[in-house]
Amino acid sequence: MSHARQHRDGHRPVRRFRGRGAGRPSFPRIRALAHWTAGTPVLPLLLVCVITVIDVVGGTSLVWLPMLAAGPALAAATCGWRGVAGVGLLATLLSIVLGVRDGVTGGNLVAVLAVMASVTLASILAGAVRARREQVLAAVRSVAETAQHALLQPPPATVGPFQVAVHYSAAAAEARIGGDLYALIPTPYGVRMIVGDVRGKGLAAVKTAVLVLGVFREAAYDEPDLLAVVGRIERSLARNLGDDDFVTAVVAGHPEPGRLELVNCGHAPPLLVRGSDVVAVEPARPAPPLGLRALAGEAPGLQVLPFGDGDQLLLYTDGVTEARDADRAFYPLAEGLARHLYDDPTRTVAALHEELLTHVGGRLHDDAALLLLRKPAAAEPAVPGSATDAGRSAAGSPVRGAEATGPGAPAPAAAPSAGPGGGSGSGAGGAGGAGERRRAA
């Protein structure tokens, strides 16, 4: 039985990486311990204590005393200037005590103390510079995150008739922004979307992604034909890109119910989910990437797909399918999608991303984007106990309404009378109600 069928029967699919989650309760403690260790001079103090013990046991003070300077030097790489100063002060005091204990001459002891003071001061300066650079890096990452949020605006959970989920991971962890792009917007011509991959990385790729998204968002509102939208992006890139630059992309549109249009420009084929089947939508007529049409001399074609209730479409970039594990094997996206089919696209995308990270060993080496589109059924069963289910129970279906007014069922408390000879106010029920009112009077 497939995982999708299990989910429809009310059972959650068994994930391959569930065993990894068994130890999750201990992860916060481990992270807290690592954070505390990185912010306090634990290792420098341990080093100073080890050198002290060796000196006491060996009794060769003049040999080991200068090694105490390694304590503040190591502290400069793990904590702030206050921690460095504390470790340096402790190392200096221990140098004096051990030197006096072992009978070190005054000249040698002064030389050791001078070395200790010099290393401590230099370490304090290095620690302050490191802390300043960390603050600058944190500010740069914050700006990059803000820029990415403005560039790749996360779509809402519902766009038009579709449920939507998106996940984006940049390979440049320090900048948290890359060359993959996506957008999904409602337009007068239906919902339109794009997922693309810019050649190269860094700021040049980000600049090209900004250009593509800007042209797409403008053309998607203006052009009734999806091929015209792609044409405007192509012309803009031809004016602004170099000869070796290009963008692979899939542009899709939903002009009317049950119909989905695709234009694939050298990009990885989308995955269509229908029932429990996952099929790669290969382009009927291969086309070159955006920006290379003038060199190839081929125009993209429009591909039309039926897209009904319950169908899903996954758009992605090659950072997902080209991710390799330790054995250099690619990640099987189609198989992973078949294992993690849910009615909620957010759960599906989250499961795919977690399995992808497990496949590569924790960190991606290329930008990766996932955009999942799902057309919910017109009347999907509500979750028991939800507000939607309660509303349906109150309103009732025609069959339930007939059952509720059958023999032996209580009459509605606020049933209005339809007047003489009318509807529910007539008949035995109406006469009984009138008799009750006369007796009450």
Side-chain angles (χ1 to χ4, degrees):
M1 180 184 294
S2 66
H3 291 292
R5 192 175 305 165
Q6 290 179 8
H7 178 66
R8 287 194 296 270
D9 291 341
H11 302 285
R12 294 184 60 185
V14 180
R15 303 182 183 180
R16 292 194 312 171
F17 44 83
R18 177 173 292 181
R20 194 166 66 98
R24 282 183 180 176
S26 63
F27 283 2
R29 299 190 187 96
I30 295 176
R31 287 195 294 265
L33 179 62
H35 178 74
W36 178 75
T37 303
T40 56
V42 176
L43 294 179
L45 290 176
L46 181 61
L47 178 62
V48 169
C49 293
V50 169
I51 295 175
T52 302
V53 171
I54 293 176
D55 180 84
V56 171
V57 174
T60 55
S61 175
L62 192 59
V63 176
W64 290 104
L65 281 184
M67 292 295 297
L68 291 174
L74 180 61
T78 59
C79 56
W81 68 269
R82 291 183 178 85
V84 177
V87 175
L89 179 61
L90 176 63
T92 302
L93 294 177
L94 288 175
S95 299
I96 297 175
V97 172
L98 294 176
V100 173
R101 173 184 175 277
D102 295 336
V104 178
T105 61
N108 291 331
L109 185 59
V110 170
V112 170
L113 295 180
V115 170
M116 197 72 61
S118 302
V119 173
T120 301
L121 292 177
S123 301
I124 291 176
L125 178 60
V129 172
R130 180 188 58 80
R132 175 59 181 168
R133 289 180 177 176
E134 288 181 352
Q135 293 178 356
V136 173
L137 178 60
V140 171
R141 294 178 67 175
S142 176
V143 172
E145 289 178 351
T146 304
Q148 179 182 337
H149 184 76
L151 172 63
L152 303 176
Q153 300 174 3
T158 302
V159 179
F162 299 112
Q163 295 173 318
V164 183
V166 174
H167 197 287
Y168 176 82
S169 299
E174 293 77 11
R176 296 184 181 177
I177 192 168
D180 287 3
L181 57 96
Y182 66 83
L184 187 144
I185 54 177
T187 72
Y189 312 103
V191 177
R192 287 177 170 176
M193 69 209 77
I194 183 174
V195 170
D197 187 2
V198 179
R199 177 186 178 274
K201 296 180 176 64
L203 293 179
V206 174
K207 179 181 178 181
T208 303
V210 171
L211 175 63
V212 172
L213 290 177
V215 177
F216 169 76
R217 287 171 178 148
E218 180 181 358
Y221 277 94
D222 296 342
E223 302 292 346
D225 187 3
L226 194 64
L227 286 174
V229 176
V230 177
R232 286 182 58 171
I233 300 175
E234 175 69 34
R235 291 191 295 271
S236 179
L237 290 179
R239 293 191 302 266
N240 294 279
L241 292 187
D243 295 336
D244 297 331
D245 296 329
F246 58 87
V247 180
T248 65
V250 172
V251 183
H254 182 258
E256 59 187 26
R259 174 187 172 94
L260 194 67
E261 298 177 346
L262 293 176
V263 180
N264 193 327
C265 299
H267 199 73
L271 296 179
L272 177 64
V273 180
R274 184 164 292 150
S276 58
D277 298 330
V278 178
V279 181
V281 184
E282 298 288 347
R285 184 172 66 184
L290 296 171
L292 299 180
R293 185 186 301 183
L295 299 177
E298 297 180 3
L302 185 68
Q303 193 169 5
V304 179
L305 300 175
F307 200 75
D309 292 346
D311 290 349
Q312 303 185 58
L313 186 72
L314 179 65
L315 305 177
Y316 56 94
T317 59
D318 59 4
V320 179
T321 53
E322 294 181 1
R324 297 174 182 261
D325 61 5
D327 298 328
R328 307 299 295 169
F330 293 112
Y331 174 65
L333 178 59
E335 298 176 9
L337 180 58
R339 283 190 296 267
H340 303 293
L341 287 179
Y342 298 96
D343 289 340
D344 183 5
T346 303
R347 294 180 61 191
T348 301
V349 170
L352 285 175
H353 181 257
E354 186 174 352
E355 188 175 70
L356 178 63
L357 292 181
T358 304
H359 180 80
V360 300
R363 181 175 179 180
L364 296 173
H365 299 285
D366 194 6
D367 304 332
L370 293 165
L371 189 152
L372 182 60
L373 197 72
R374 181 178 184 270
K375 177 65 170 64
E380 292 186 343
V383 179
S386 65
T388 305
D389 188 53
R392 289 179 180 175
S393 299
S397 63
V399 176
R400 292 181 183 273
E403 293 173 351
T405 56
S417 175
S424 62
S426 62
E436 291 293 330
R437 286 193 295 270
R438 284 196 297 269
R439 283 195 294 271

